[in-house]
């Protein structure tokens, strides 16, 4: 029965079986590790990446977990994620409520990064987008309650741009003003100073990773007033100036009230100017 | 025989004394401690010599060193590193091409003392047997890590890599990384002899590829003097590398050419016949 052909065949079968076993075992391991890594690309809400960090899905491919940014941060705010934390193990983050980013002008953490996980093209710290502050709790924000706390507004490194105080009527008293802190995403760097400084037990203003904090209009949306300004005139319909029904010979001016009309200079019955879109015979 | 296998090196101690029988092991432990202390002197004493960790480090603000396996994963994930990382990569690759890639495993890696301790305890407790899995598994795992890095665009292996987890833990804060290290220790102790470092670790596997044609090798100038005491096999963490060179199988030269030799030097010091020694791989003796 010692057929050499047969033993050759069984050796081949053995080889194939071993290879298949190895491929399956290691394949399972790879699948597990891959899924684990993909899950960890969603940043937990309290963890903010250092300035210049690539979007989360790219960050975990670029960051080699060396901790150079942690070492070169002069304020020692950065940590490397530990294995039990729900993010990519060994990647850097800070928690704004504990210690916010001090927004160094020379951005040493970005300079220290050897891989570009922190984007070296970021040279102006005011342009960084670490996250976005959100006034999450209108019920406990002291300014909303009618006080002039204003702390978030005062500590903001981009004061009057990233956070403004918008006066609104206090509907409760009917005669006071509340100064509502409003965050403007265009200028907010996500440094977290407002969250750190918020005096309430739990911060009413918090910084979140951008993907959580920012909405986005559908691509086809246009803001009429923006388009109008761009075009220098209304694009969609005859944009006729509003006229008041006034007694003859009177006029009304916003802020001034009624007054008598100066003698007419334009011939009566003149056509109002055509809106931009209808000019030039383009219809 | 059983006693000899359990206490390899007893003959060497009797013949050459304790210090001579553990000189390379001592040197390795000192080297491992020095490497770690260079990283720790900053966070512990405020004396910044080396910043970063084994993945990437920057020594005295001039010398970058990059882990080539990690950078390869980043490249496969589609990311281009900055200049310093590439300089560090070149230095590390050149260095290990000279001294042998798996020198990292026995002289630098912080997991080595852990698995060495497990192996020592395993011999002391007389634990035998266990799982039989091919040593080639590490290359399969290595391939899998590269495939996963490419497919997911993340350096996925870093989520679980015990090597960087332990080193990062020691330098930056441990967290639950200790549990992973304990798991590796227990696995090596009870489940598999030289399990992690000798069969699975893709970091070591990658370094073995870098050291494929490395220059610093274990040479066996006196292989004819071998009296088959088996002590070198007993202490060697990669036993399969010795036999071809020692027995001249298929006309093999008296040099350990297997890329998985970690140049730990244990075979040198346990051999009472002075069969082994460090030397350069030179073409003149290779052709012998």
């Amino acid at each position: 029965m010692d057929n050499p052909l047969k033993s050759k065949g069984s050796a081949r079968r053995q080889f194939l079986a071993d290879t298949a076993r190895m491929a399956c075992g290691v394949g399972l391991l790879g699948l597990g590790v891959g899924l684990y890594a993909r899950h960890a690309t969603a940043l937990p809400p309290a963890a903010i990446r250092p300035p210049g960090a690539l979007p989360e899905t790219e960050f975990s491919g670029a960051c080699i977990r060396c901790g150079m940014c942690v070492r070169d941060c002069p304020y020692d705010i950065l940590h490397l994620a530990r294995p039990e934390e729900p993010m990519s193990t060994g990647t850097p983050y800070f928690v704004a409520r504990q210690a916010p980013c001090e927004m160094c002008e020379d951005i040493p953490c970005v300079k220290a990064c050897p891989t570009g996980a922190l984007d070296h093209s970021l040279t102006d710290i005011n342009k960084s987008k670490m996250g976005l502050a959100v006034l999450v709790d209108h019920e406990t924000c002291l300014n909303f309650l009618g006080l002039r706390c204003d702390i978030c507004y005062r500590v903001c490194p981009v004061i009057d741009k990233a956070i403004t105080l918008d006066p609104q009527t206090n509907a409760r008293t009917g005669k006071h003003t509340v100064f509502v802190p409003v965050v403007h995403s265009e200028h907010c760097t996500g440094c977290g100073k407002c969250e750190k400084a918020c005096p309430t037990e739990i911060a009413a203003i918090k910084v979140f990773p951008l993907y959580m904090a920012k909405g986005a209009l559908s691509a086809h949306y246009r803001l009429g007033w923006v388009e109008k300004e761009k075009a220098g005139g209304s694009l969609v319909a005859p944009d006729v100036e509003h006229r008041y029904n006034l007694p003859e010979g009177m006029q009304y001016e916003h802020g001034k009230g009624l007054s008598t009309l100066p003698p007419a200079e334009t011939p009566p019955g003149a056509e109002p100017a055509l809106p931009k879109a209808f000019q030039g015979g383009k219809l | 025989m059983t006693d000899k296998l359990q206490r390899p090196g007893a003959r060497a101690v009797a013949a050459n004394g304790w210090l001579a029988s553990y000189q390379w092991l001592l040197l390795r432990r000192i080297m491992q401690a020095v490497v770690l202390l260079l990283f720790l002197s900053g966070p512990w004493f405020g004396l910044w010599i080396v910043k970063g960790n084994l993945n990437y480090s920057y020594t005295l603000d001039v010398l970058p060193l990059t882990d080539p396996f990690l950078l390869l994963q980043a490249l496969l994930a589609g990311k281009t590193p900055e200049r310093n990382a590439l300089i560090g990569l070149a230095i590390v690759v050149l260095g290990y091409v000279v001294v042998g890639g798996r020198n990292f495993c026995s002289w630098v890696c912080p997991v080595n003392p852990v698995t060495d301790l497990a192996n020592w305890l395993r011999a002391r407790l007389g634990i035998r047997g266990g799982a039989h899995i091919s040593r080639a598994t590490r290359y399969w795992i290595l391939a899998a890590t590269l495939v996963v890095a490419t497919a997911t665009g993340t350096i996925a292996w870093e989520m679980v890599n015990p090597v960087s987890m332990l080193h990062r833990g020691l330098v930056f804060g441990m967290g639950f990384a200790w549990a992973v290290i304990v798991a590796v220790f227990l696995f090596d102790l009870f489940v598999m002899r030289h399990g992690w470092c000798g069969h699975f670790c893709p970091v070591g596997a990658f370094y073995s590829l870098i050291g494929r044609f490395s220059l610093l090798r274990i040479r066996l100038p006196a292989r004819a003097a071998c009296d088959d005491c088996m002590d070198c096999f007993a202490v060697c963490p990669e036993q399969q590398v010795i036999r071809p060179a020692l027995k001249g199988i298929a006309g093999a030269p008296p040099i350990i050419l297997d890329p998985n030799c970690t140049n730990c030097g244990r075979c040198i010091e346990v051999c009472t016949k002075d069969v082994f020694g460090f030397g350069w791989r030179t073409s003149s003796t290779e052709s012998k």
Side-chain angles (χ1 to χ4, degrees):
Chain A
M1 289 298 287
D2 250 7
N3 185 343
L5 270 177
K6 189 175 180 193
S7 75
K8 198 177 165 195
S10 76
R12 186 187 299 129
R13 267 199 302 279
Q14 184 64 39
F15 171 77
L16 288 174
D18 286 349
T19 307
R21 191 177 302 131
M22 192 67 85
C24 288
V26 173
L28 274 179
L29 176 81
L31 185 67
V33 170
L35 289 177
Y36 182 34
R38 290 298 292 183
H39 275 282
T41 52
L43 203 58
I48 306 296
R49 294 287 188 208
L54 299 176
E56 200 51 27
T57 45
E58 292 178 47
F59 188 81
S60 57
C63 172
I64 57 171
R65 286 84 160 153
C66 66
M68 288 299 293
C69 51
V70 177
R71 290 300 184 225
D72 279 8
C73 172
Y75 298 95
D76 229 3
I77 65 158
L78 294 172
H79 317 278
L80 292 186
R82 298 174 177 191
E84 68 273 22
E85 287 166 334
M87 50 198 288
S88 287
T89 307
T91 55
Y93 71 97
F94 68 93
V95 177
R97 189 65 164 168
Q98 291 166 4
C101 174
E102 298 289 338
M103 287 175 61
C104 312
E105 283 187 11
D106 53 343
I107 331 183
C109 49
V110 171
K111 283 186 184 158
C113 178
T115 62
L118 306 182
D119 190 348
H120 285 226
S121 66
L122 177 74
T123 49
D124 178 1
I125 188 66
N126 287 321
K127 297 221 164 71
S128 61
K129 292 270 172 261
M130 293 171 264
L132 179 59
V134 182
L135 205 144
V136 285
D137 196 343
H138 296 187
E139 294 169 336
T140 56
C141 171
L142 298 182
N143 269 39
F144 261 90
L145 294 175
L147 301 175
R148 290 302 301 273
C149 162
D150 295 2
I151 289 178
C152 54
Y153 165 76
R154 293 280 167 210
V155 299
C156 178
V158 203
I159 185 167
D160 276 326
K161 287 183 185 159
I163 301 182
T164 55
L165 294 177
D166 287 12
Q168 288 177 14
T169 305
N170 185 334
R172 182 176 57 83
T173 65
K175 56 190 170 190
H176 298 98
T177 302
V178 291
F179 290 82
V180 174
V182 177
V183 179
H184 303 275
S185 62
E186 187 190 345
H187 296 290
C188 175
T189 64
C191 72
K193 291 217 136 193
C194 51
E195 179 178 345
K196 169 69 177 166
C198 181
T200 53
E201 185 71 26
I202 294 170
I205 189 166
K206 291 180 180 177
V207 173
F208 293 120
L210 268 179
Y211 81 94
M212 294 192 71
K214 190 82 187 94
L217 288 170
S218 304
H220 65 280
Y221 270 60
R222 298 285 179 275
L223 302 177
W225 56 94
V226 173
E227 299 299 319
K228 180 176 167 185
E229 202 179 311
K230 262 197 269 178
S234 175
L235 288 165
V236 285
D239 193 22
V240 185
E241 198 184 337
H242 180 76
R243 293 181 176 201
Y244 300 96
N245 286 316
L246 298 171
E248 228 166 283
M250 301 292 281
Q251 69 169 4
Y252 179 86
E253 250 183 289
H254 185 73
K256 286 186 182 168
L258 280 171
S259 57
T260 49
L261 197 64
E265 283 172 18
T266 49
E271 290 290 319
L274 272 175
K276 189 107 177 162
F278 296 93
Q279 287 175 7
K282 276 185 188 162
L283 294 179
Chain B
M1 182 69 190
T2 312
D3 185 49
K4 224 174 11 178
L5 273 183
Q6 281 181 351
R7 303 290 300 277
R11 291 178 358 143
V13 174
N16 303 326
W18 189 87
L19 195 62
S21 306
Y22 289 100
Q23 50 179 334
W24 291 111
L25 183 60
L26 277 174
L27 260 179
R28 280 203 300 123
R29 294 292 176 250
I30 292 168
M31 175 81 169
Q32 287 161 344
V34 165
V35 169
L36 201 54
L37 274 175
L38 285 175
F39 281 97
L40 285 172
S41 73
W44 281 7
F45 313 116
L47 182 67
W48 293 100
I49 302 168
V50 185
K51 281 194 265 185
N53 57 36
L54 287 181
N55 292 0
Y56 172 86
S57 65
Y58 204 40
T59 304
L60 298 172
D61 286 334
V62 286
L63 173 70
L65 296 171
T66 314
D67 183 323
F69 175 46
L70 210 60
L71 206 65
L72 176 62
Q73 290 176 78
L75 285 170
L76 289 176
K79 301 299 176 298
T80 332
E82 298 290 328
R83 195 184 48 143
N84 266 0
L86 294 171
I87 296 173
L89 172 77
I91 294 171
V92 168
V93 169
L94 282 177
Y96 282 121
V97 162
V98 173
V99 300
R102 291 210 60 195
N103 260 42
F104 171 84
C105 302
S106 58
W107 293 83
V108 176
C109 181
V111 176
N112 173 272
V114 175
T115 54
D116 270 3
L117 179 67
N119 187 54
W120 176 82
L121 202 60
R122 187 178 166 89
R124 271 303 167 98
L125 297 176
I127 300 168
R128 297 179 163 276
H132 287 284
I133 295 173
S134 162
R135 282 190 185 262
T137 308
R138 53 183 147 205
Y139 294 107
W140 287 83
I141 294 179
L142 172 61
T145 59
L146 299 181
V147 168
V148 169
T150 314
T152 63
T154 68
I155 305 178
W157 185 249
E158 277 307 288
M159 299 291 292
V160 291
N161 185 0
V163 176
S164 53
M165 220 182 253
L166 175 58
H167 193 259
R168 196 188 308 113
L170 291 167
V171 179
F172 284 93
M174 188 60 81
F176 269 83
W178 64 265
V180 177
I181 302 309
V182 167
V184 168
F185 174 80
L186 293 176
F187 183 80
D188 268 28
L189 177 59
F190 292 114
V191 184
M192 219 175 148
R193 183 159 185 256
H194 295 302
W196 182 257
C197 304
H199 295 76
F200 298 124
C201 180
V203 180
F206 192 80
Y207 274 114
S208 83
L209 296 180
I210 289 181
R212 179 107 213 140
F213 303 104
S214 67
L215 302 176
L216 182 67
R217 295 283 172 169
I218 300 283
R219 301 182 61 105
L220 297 77
R223 71 178 175 190
C226 173
D227 65 352
D228 292 328
C229 77
M230 301 289 284
D231 272 8
C232 57
F233 282 93
V235 296
C236 181
E238 297 280 349
Q239 291 158 316
Q240 77 283 4
V241 310
I242 296 180
R243 219 170 86 86
L246 184 59
K247 297 297 168 195
I249 290 180
I255 308 170
I256 292 181
L257 291 173
D258 191 300
N260 275 310
C261 171
T262 68
N263 280 358
C264 72
R266 286 288 285 144
C267 53
I268 303 173
E269 59 199 12
V270 298
C271 181
T272 53
K273 304 294 174 195
D274 293 331
V275 167
F276 303 90
F278 276 116
W280 299 105
R281 163 204 206 130
T282 48
S283 50
S284 58
T285 36
E286 239 185 294
S287 57
K288 197 166 85 181

